[in-house]
């Protein structure tokens, strides 16, 4: 009888540990960034992008084109008036994005590069979020983003 009790106790403890492990499994989402370039050509150097979610967690890229580029290896990114896609599968963030910053290799971007917008879309198991950051001036013209650009307000 003592062996049966010990065996049942072991099964209960094992089941509890298994359910705790399953609760801590990280969910992954596909994050897609679409950059709308304005009337001028963008940089060809390494770009880094920081995308922050409500609550402070973020995605920080170090080489957007090389590590995230979704347009194929021979695609020329950031041509005038174009849309360029970047994609990566990373852990899901708990909330929608509220801030984006893009900068060049040494923190600078090409002078006179204009962006229309950056849209971030997140898809995962039961998750669909989309956020657009626009770079239009008060007069309706796109704004230059030299030496870097950021947009949004996180609470």
């Amino acid at each position: 009888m003592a062996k049966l009790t010990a065996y049942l106790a072991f099964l209960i403890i094992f089941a509890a540990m298994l359910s705790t492990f399953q609760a801590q499994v990280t969910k992954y989402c596909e994050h897609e960034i679409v950059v709308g370039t304005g009337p001028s050509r963008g940089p060809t150097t390494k770009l880094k992008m920081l995308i922050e979610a409500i609550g402070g967690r973020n995605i920080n890229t170090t080489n957007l084109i090389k590590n995230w580029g979704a347009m194929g290896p021979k695609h020329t990114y950031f041509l005038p008036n174009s849309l360029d896609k970047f994609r990566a599968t990373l852990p899901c963030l708990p909330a929608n994005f509220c801030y984006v910053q893009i900068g060049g290799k040494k923190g600078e971007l090409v002078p006179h590069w204009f962006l229309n917008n950056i849209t971030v879309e997140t898809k995962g198991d039961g998750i669909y979020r989309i956020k657009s950051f626009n770079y239009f001036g008060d007069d309706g013209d796109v704004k230059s983003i030299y030496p870097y650009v950021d947009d949004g307000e996180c609470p």
Side-chain angles (χ1 to χ4, degrees):
M1 188 61 142
K3 287 183 179 183
L4 180 62
T5 304
Y7 180 71
L8 287 174
F10 171 77
L11 286 178
I12 291 171
I13 292 170
F14 181 74
M17 287 175 27
L18 185 61
S19 66
T20 302
F21 174 74
Q22 288 178 347
Q24 295 176 359
V25 171
T26 302
K27 289 185 180 182
Y28 282 84
C29 288
E30 182 177 281
H31 302 282
E32 181 177 84
I33 301 167
V34 178
V35 177
T37 298
S40 60
R41 185 181 177 130
T44 57
T45 61
K46 291 180 182 178
L47 289 176
K48 58 185 175 181
M49 185 178 283
L50 172 70
I51 309 165
E52 188 173 331
I54 296 169
R57 291 188 50 200
N58 65 55
I59 295 172
N60 193 352
T61 69
T62 54
N63 189 337
L64 186 64
I65 294 171
K66 179 180 176 189
N67 297 332
W68 283 59
M71 307 285 285
K74 296 187 184 224
H75 180 74
T76 302
Y77 288 89
F78 307 121
L79 292 174
N81 301 309
S82 65
L83 293 175
D84 295 301
K85 292 183 181 182
F86 305 91
R87 192 176 294 128
T89 301
L90 299 168
C92 299
L93 297 180
N96 203 6
F97 296 104
C98 57
Y99 175 82
V100 65
Q101 180 184 55
I102 187 170
K105 183 166 63 171
K106 296 179 183 174
E108 77 285 348
L109 293 176
V110 176
H112 312 296
W113 180 36
F114 296 88
L115 280 182
N116 291 331
N117 57 43
I118 295 174
T119 301
V120 183
E121 184 177 24
T122 301
K123 297 176 192 174
D125 185 25
I127 296 172
Y128 179 77
R129 299 183 187 119
I130 189 166
K131 175 73 175 178
S132 246
F133 300 91
N134 294 307
Y135 298 97
F136 293 100
D138 294 333
D139 56 3
D141 291 334
V142 291
K143 298 184 288 187
S144 174
I145 59 170
Y146 181 76
Y148 67 91
V149 66
D150 63 348
D151 187 41
E153 289 187 25
C154 291

